[in-house]
Amino acid sequence: MKTFTIQHSTIYNYDYAPLWVVHKVALTPQNNKRQKVLEWNLIVKGGNIELTSNDHFGNIINLVKSKNKRISITAYGTVNIIDDSGITGHEKSLIPIDCYLNHTVFTKPGKNIFKLIQRIKKNIETPVVLFHKISDLIKNSVIYKKNKTNTNTSAEDACEIGYGVCQDHTHILISVARELGYPARYVSGYMNLNNSERIEASHAWAEIFFNDIGWVGYDVSNGISPNENYIFLSRGFDYNDVAPIKGVKIGTSEEKLTTGITIKENQ
């Protein structure tokens, strides 16, 4: 077991105050068999938390409203993690599992995804092992490189470009899994593999559902299944469902965004 203290700060600065801004904030981790939240806080300066609820995926969502030139949203707390070899297993779902077979704008396959599927050697012992091989294929076909894609890049487009980051790798694996008939979902969270306290951004990986085992995680970008160094925040059909913060602004003021994330392993 490992214990981590996490702080995720996001600051919005505007050249003048907008009429109003509403942010959907998905920055609260959840308890499950591999993760226990010991303490968690969400502090908003320059705005107010108007509503806290669970969405249809079970994610904890806060709606933050503001009319100020500066909004600061800071989530912080402490979480215990155990290594379950990436197996989340069976769990209660608010929506039918088969909903995770449906493609989205991010995961809809095209000629590039279908070409990738044709390269898959399906004579593997078990589906769980098969998807480790598929993950390796994706990692070697779409090279990890920053600034080649963005948050609006689809799985098909990332395959066309040949480069991407964890979001792209996750969308591609989800696309392939759904096309092969396996429910798959997008997971947003944090990862600390190098014992570095400050990280550049949150992380993403996929979970695929197998009838006999339940949900199993695959981190394509790092070539492993999530272990005790992974803290999950939220899950959904794709990135659009789990973006840490996204919002709507009324007004023409320019926005400047600053984000800082630190993760410290407690000894």
Side-chain angles (χ1 to χ4, degrees):
M1 178 189 298
K2 289 188 176 182
T3 302
F4 294 99
T5 296
I6 306 134
Q7 179 170 307
H8 187 150
S9 298
T10 305
I11 300 173
Y12 294 89
N13 284 294
Y14 302 95
D15 51 3
Y16 59 88
L19 294 177
W20 55 261
V21 179
V22 175
H23 288 291
K24 173 189 171 186
V25 181
L27 285 174
T28 303
Q30 306 162 58
N31 290 311
N32 65 9
K33 70 174 188 178
R34 67 175 296 273
Q35 176 169 298
K36 182 177 181 181
V37 181
L38 303 180
E39 177 190 7
W40 200 260
N41 302 277
L42 185 67
I43 305 299
V44 177
K45 296 181 180 179
N48 298 298
I49 299 175
E50 299 289 332
L51 175 68
T52 301
S53 64
N54 292 90
D55 66 11
H56 53 291
F57 299 109
N59 303 318
I60 301 170
I61 303 297
N62 289 277
L63 293 183
V64 173
K65 186 176 181 180
S66 174
K67 296 182 179 180
N68 294 300
K69 290 179 63 175
R70 178 184 171 91
I71 310 167
S72 172
I73 301 172
T74 301
Y76 66 94
T78 305
V79 182
N80 273 349
I81 306 292
I82 64 170
D83 185 1
D84 61 355
S85 301
I87 302 174
T88 300
H90 292 91
E91 58 184 16
K92 291 182 179 180
S93 177
L94 298 176
I95 57 177
I97 293 296
D98 283 352
C99 288
Y100 291 97
L101 288 167
N102 297 325
H103 285 299
T104 68
V105 172
F106 281 112
T107 69
K108 184 178 180 180
K111 63 178 183 180
N112 294 294
I113 295 291
F114 290 128
K115 286 180 181 178
L116 190 65
I117 291 174
Q118 290 174 359
R119 296 171 58 192
I120 296 172
K121 298 179 180 179
K122 298 180 182 179
N123 57 338
I124 305 296
E125 182 179 357
T126 67
V128 173
V129 175
L130 171 64
F131 277 97
H132 280 296
K133 299 297 183 181
I134 294 173
S135 295
D136 290 340
L137 176 61
I138 294 170
K139 182 180 179 182
N140 293 327
S141 301
V142 180
I143 306 303
Y144 187 96
K145 193 169 186 179
K146 299 176 182 177
N147 303 320
K148 292 291 186 178
T149 57
N150 57 53
T151 55
N152 295 314
T153 303
S154 69
E156 177 67 16
D157 290 340
C159 283
E160 177 74 28
I161 295 168
Y163 296 98
V165 292
C166 60
Q167 175 182 311
D168 305 298
H169 285 156
T170 300
H171 281 149
I172 296 169
L173 182 58
I174 290 172
S175 179
V176 171
R178 290 173 180 168
E179 199 60 27
L180 294 179
Y182 291 89
R185 63 188 182 186
Y186 189 107
V187 185
S188 173
Y190 304 107
M191 175 196 66
N192 182 11
L193 291 181
N194 300 315
N195 295 321
S196 57
E197 290 191 14
R198 188 173 182 85
I199 61 176
E200 294 183 6
S202 56
H203 193 51
W205 59 95
E207 287 185 339
I208 299 172
F209 185 82
F210 305 100
N211 289 329
D212 55 341
I213 301 175
W215 293 103
V216 177
Y218 294 86
D219 179 0
V220 177
S221 299
N222 289 289
I224 61 174
S225 285
N227 54 28
E228 72 273 19
N229 293 302
Y230 288 69
I231 303 102
F232 94 86
L233 284 175
S234 52
R235 300 183 174 110
F237 295 132
D238 59 25
Y239 171 78
N240 190 53
D241 294 321
V242 303
I245 301 179
K246 64 178 182 178
V248 177
K249 174 173 64 73
I250 300 299
T252 58
S253 58
E254 294 294 325
E255 176 184 282
K256 182 179 180 181
L257 172 64
T258 304
T259 301
I261 304 173
T262 58
I263 301 179
K264 181 180 180 181
E265 182 180 350
N266 300 354
Q267 302 299 324

